[in-house]
Amino acid sequence: MGQITLQNVQKSFGPVHIIKGADLDISDGSFVVFVGPSGCGKTTLLRLIAGLEDVSGGNILIDGKNVVDVPPAKRGLSMVFQSYALYPHMSVRGNIAFGLKMAGLPKAEISRKVEAAAATLNLTPYLDRKPRELSGGQRQRVAIGRAIVREPKAFLFDEPLSNLDAALRVQMRLEVTRLQKQLGTTAIYVTHDQVEAMTMADKIVVLNGGKIEQYGTPLELYEKPANLFVAGFIGSPKMNFISGEVAGRHDAATIGVRPEHLKIARDGEGWPGNIMVAEHLGSDTFLYVDAGAIGPLTARHVGELDLSAGDRVLLSPDPGRLHRFDETGKSLRA
Amino acid sequence: MAHTPELSPSQPSGSLHRMTAPALQPTETGTGTRQTQLLARMLLTPAVALLFIWMIVPLALTIYFSLLRYNLLDSESAQFVGFENFRYFLTDPAFLASLQNTLVLVGSVLGLTILLGIPLALLLDQPVIGRNIVRLMVIAPFFVMPTVSALIWKNLLMHPVSGLFAWIAKLFGAPPIDWFNDIPLFAIILIVSWQWLPFATLILLTALQSLDEEQKEAAEMDGAGALSTFIYITLPHLARPITVVILIETIFLLTVFAEIFVTTGGGPGLQTTNIAFLIYSQALIQYDVGGASAGGLVAVVIANIVAFFLVRIVGRNLEA
Ligand SMILES: Nc1ncnc2c1ncn2[C@@H]1O[C@H](COP(=O)(O)OP(=O)(O)O)[C@@H](O)[C@H]1O
Ligand SMILES: [Mg+2]
């Protein structure tokens, strides 16, 4: 079991309020991603759950039991650190076994569990190496091995892939997701990369300035962002925001259109503009358009378009995919 | 003749080898052209030559004197006596006694500075109020000249009549200890340890500060308590700095002289005479230059033997 509930969790460092009251319900076995810009408090919130920081207010429940006064080791969670934090003088075997050794398990059982964990992660040939003799990806797997061997109620990951190169990151992303589904253990995963969040998560928590902006499935966030921040943060390239008179026609302070929901035409209806930059990726074409008073717009077309910088185009939004926001930035739903 | 020649000749010779070997290596592996190789050799030559002369002249003179019967009271009659001086020095009962004193002194000071340095460094690593001032005070003894600190210990602290320790003893109604008569070697060990404790603490403290905070947190998540974290995480991390402390302190502790000279003058009897002090007394109390030179060369050999075993025992920790 690994059901985690946050009730109005707060954290201040001295006079600085970092986490401003977080409420969250994480169901057993789900993969939840905390995403947000750098410095928004993701790591702090994760460390509060881990018990590495004390809460300034509120409750953290694990399987219904309040754990705010329980030391980290007794919470039954395990954490994968951004720096991996492997013990440099211990072999891979020693690293993975350390938690079990501290728990006082018999030697034979430790050995059996370590070998099972190593097999799951393809680490068996490296069991007797020291961390410094491993590649980045292998170290990452040792850190994960150290987490899974204790059979925790939940895994906590703090930007575990950010030290890997792009190709390895995609591969590890798949491995982590596969492993989590296979074990069925709750996971909380922190990242600032919205692509990682969208691809890995069952549910995403969007954090901004120490506040939870929205909590939902990736597609909910994409289709029904709660506010301007979430709308702008989720999706790549970023959503276009238009305010002023055009927005007023839709009874909103601001309207938002995703680049993929702008129809591109050479003539007919739409907002006129000149292409500043055209990016041709083969699979997609991205156009960065100067639409005069409306502002700069980004448009995405699936497939190739024979347009280049300087060309004049007309952009029209898909009316069913228009997002409307009020003056405070909150989403308006029809 | 210098009274402590034991390490000065051996050290430059060591650094000489180290200087030349790596300097030439890049060119040999093909990273430089012939011209830069030649230029590197030419530019290095004066420095290497100077170091070589610096080392070889005192060494040659010491070897030369060690083969003579040469007493300053009777300097006219210097004559070649072969290895007679060595035989005399090595069979002198004072030699074994002072060798033992040297090893006891080095070993005890190493043990004390490391055993006290670790908890002290751990304390100074904690965020306490006025930490910077405390750190400065802990480091201060290192800047006091050995002669001065020995005088302070002798006259202000350990003096059996007017010393602070005697006063404290009397406060509790105990008879004051006459440090330099009753436990002279231990008194010297205390003084030298006091001087070297800051060095050990400082090296260990910087090492502690470089210990990754996340590693300790990982251990905490793994269920390790304070003691387990210390044993399994902190102590292995300190293995390398402890090695550095041992190696560097040993070099200097083999030649402790001023503290002995100021406090006990090697006595009572031979109880606080170490090799360095024995050589000094040979040369400048008995005016026996030949015997002192032979002793100096013996000290060089001893220093190298100690270094050999030390590197065997703890040098492994220095490998990356
Ligand atoms: N121990 C601390 N003391 C003071 N401020 C801290 C501490 N830890 C984090 N902060 C501050 O809290 C904010 C959030 O930090 P963090 O949770 O690490 O952000 P994120 O992981 O989202 O990038 C930052 O502004 C950071 O400066
Ligand atoms: Mg962070």
Side-chain angles (χ1 to χ4, degrees), chain B residues 7-26 28 44 47-48 51-52 55 247-248 251 303-304 307-308 311 318:
Chain B
L7 276 164
S8 34
S10 74
Q11 273 191 307
S13 83
S15 52
L16 194 68
H17 293 305
R18 263 175 266 124
M19 284 271 319
T20 46
L24 294 178
Q25 230 151 36
E28 277 159 6
L44 271 175
V48 173
L51 274 174
F52 186 69
M55 174 206 93
L247 292 177
I248 293 182
I251 292 173
N304 277 294
F308 175 79
V311 169
L318 290 181

Side-chain angles (χ1 to χ4, degrees), chain A residues 13 18-19 36-45 53 158-159 190:
Chain A
F13 291 110
I18 301 291
I19 303 291
S38 205
C40 68
K42 308 179 293 288
T43 299
T44 306
L45 191 54
E53 304 275 2
D158 189 4
E159 311 217 13
V190 164

Side-chain angles (χ1 to χ4, degrees), chain B residues 141-157:
Chain B
F142 203 49
F143 295 105
V144 180
M145 276 181 273
T147 357
V148 174
S149 76
L151 278 173
I152 291 172
W153 276 83
K154 182 185 181 185
N155 295 323
L156 295 183
L157 298 175

Side-chain angles (χ1 to χ4, degrees), chain B residues 125-163:
Chain B
D125 195 33
Q126 305 300 316
V128 291
I129 310 163
R131 177 162 68 168
N132 288 336
I133 292 179
V134 175
R135 280 185 187 173
L136 195 67
M137 279 168 54
V138 167
I139 291 155
F142 203 49
F143 295 105
V144 180
M145 276 181 273
T147 357
V148 174
S149 76
L151 278 173
I152 291 172
W153 276 83
K154 182 185 181 185
N155 295 323
L156 295 183
L157 298 175
M158 288 177 164
H159 196 281
V161 179
S162 57

Side-chain angles (χ1 to χ4, degrees), chain A residues 131-206:
Chain A
R132 69 181 131 83
E133 297 162 336
L134 300 176
S135 71
Q138 289 163 346
R139 284 179 206 184
Q140 176 63 75
R141 287 212 292 274
V142 176
I144 294 173
R146 198 166 63 178
I148 64 172
V149 78
R150 291 171 48 214
E151 295 165 17
K153 291 178 184 158
F155 299 124
L156 309 177
F157 295 95
D158 189 4
E159 311 217 13
L161 307 186
S162 58
N163 291 334
L164 302 178
D165 64 56
L168 203 51
R169 200 146 61 209
V170 173
Q171 186 199 330
M172 286 304 294
R173 200 161 83 193
L174 288 171
E175 269 188 54
V176 170
T177 321
R178 183 185 55 80
L179 191 66
Q180 190 268 343
K181 290 284 167 281
Q182 180 191 327
L183 298 170
T185 309
T186 313
I188 303 179
Y189 185 105
V190 164
T191 178
H192 63 267
D193 178 355
Q194 58 101 10
V195 177
E196 241 170 58
M198 294 296 279
T199 51
M200 300 178 85
D202 294 325
K203 279 183 134 185
I204 296 179
V205 178
V206 181

Side-chain angles (χ1 to χ4, degrees), chain A residues 47 72-73 77 81 83 85-89 98-99 101-102 150, chain B residues 212 214-215 217-224 228 232-233 236 320:
Chain A
R47 290 169 57 85
L77 309 175
F81 292 84
S83 67
L86 300 180
Y87 312 125
H89 47 273
F98 189 67
K101 191 166 145 189
M102 289 299 110
R150 291 171 48 214
Chain B
D212 182 12
E214 284 198 344
Q215 246 179 62
E217 288 176 348
E220 196 182 347
M221 295 287 296
D222 269 341
S228 298
Y232 293 107
I233 310 295

